Amino acid sequence: EDQVTQSPEALRLQEGESSSLNCSYTVSGLRGLFWYRQDPGKGPEFLFTLYSAGEEKEKERLKATLTKKESFLHITAPKPEDSATYLCAVNFGNEKLTFGTGTRLTIIP
Amino acid sequence: DTEVTQTPKHLVMGMTNKKSLKCEQHMGHRAMYWYKQKAKKPPELMFVYSYEKLSINESVPSRFSPECPNSSLLNLHLHALQPEDSALYLCASSQEQWGGTQYFGPGTRLTVL
């Protein structure tokens, strides 16, 4: 069964303290890996799409990378407004997204 | 523009009521989705419409009835819901049917009394 696992479940960082979130998946014909940010009570906000190993994308303080079995979301010098739940989702070759359980990120001023 | 809109933002209904959730996108996307999300859980897929035809129904109870009147609109009709159906209901759309990026709406917070 295709699975997506995110770690850590929760992460607390001081403002300016860089770190990485991990998303690993079963290697089974990946058709795309997606990162979303979700604030409480709101819909997921699209961040990045990655399709092939070695691909990297950046947006402001965020950088997403992809290998053959995992993806990292690197957060550089985070600010309190970066606090949110970050969701990773994988398309294994059908119309569905398989979501990880998310990483709840808290940035402390 | 990658906007998906949903109405209403909040909905409170009794178990005997009939209500509808609405979703709209004007990005020319041909696939649209309904998800249900409980607190601190990832979204769970309910239905997929592809080219206005229902292509996936994830064994959702019949008290949830989807409808796709045209390529821009998606409805979810609700009837005889249970308190455990209270959740955030999310609509999403994607350009490609297979593997494309899904863009989500802001959601409807549903409370069933």
Side-chain angles (χ1 to χ4, degrees), chain A residues 31-32 34 36 38 41-44 46 49 51 87 91 93-97 99-101 104, chain B residues 33 35 37 42-43 45 50 55-56 58 88 90 97-106 109:
Chain A
R31 290 286 295 270
F34 308 88
Y36 293 88
Q38 187 172 26
K42 297 188 177 181
F46 169 69
T49 302
Y51 287 110
L87 293 167
N91 184 291
N94 53 35
E95 292 167 306
K96 303 181 185 182
L97 287 182
F99 281 88
T101 51
R104 292 192 306 279
Chain B
Y33 311 77
Y35 288 86
Q37 187 177 27
L45 183 65
S50 180
S55 64
I56 295 178
E58 292 288 272
L88 182 68
L90 297 164
Q97 184 175 347
W98 302 91
T101 299
Q102 293 186 22
Y103 296 92
F104 285 82
R109 170 66 63 188

Side-chain angles (χ1 to χ4, degrees), chain B:
Chain B
D1 184 16
T2 56
E3 186 178 24
V4 176
T5 59
Q6 291 187 242
T7 55
K9 291 184 179 180
H10 303 277
L11 179 62
V12 179
M13 59 186 293
M15 290 191 285
T16 58
N17 293 156
K18 288 185 180 180
K19 298 286 185 182
S20 297
L21 309 184
K22 297 184 183 300
C23 173
E24 190 167 4
Q25 58 88 13
H26 294 288
M27 296 176 278
H29 290 177
R30 303 316 300 260
M32 296 186 76
Y33 311 77
W34 279 116
Y35 288 86
K36 172 182 177 180
Q37 187 177 27
K38 300 285 257 184
K40 298 188 177 181
K41 297 289 187 181
E44 292 178 43
L45 183 65
M46 299 175 71
F47 303 102
V48 180
Y49 272 83
S50 180
Y51 289 85
E52 301 162 48
K53 292 185 178 179
L54 183 65
S55 64
I56 295 178
N57 177 340
E58 292 288 272
S59 302
V60 178
S62 59
R63 57 186 183 268
F64 295 91
S65 176
E67 178 195 22
C68 189
N70 60 54
S71 60
S72 300
L73 294 174
L74 187 65
N75 298 322
L76 185 63
H77 303 297
L78 314 173
H79 174 55
L81 294 192
Q82 304 297 311
E84 59 265 29
D85 295 322
S86 297
L88 182 68
Y89 287 83
L90 297 164
C91 174
S93 70
S94 64
Q95 186 170 24
E96 299 94 8
Q97 184 175 347
W98 302 91
T101 299
Q102 293 186 22
Y103 296 92
F104 285 82
T108 294
R109 170 66 63 188
L110 174 67
T111 302
V112 182
L113 301 177

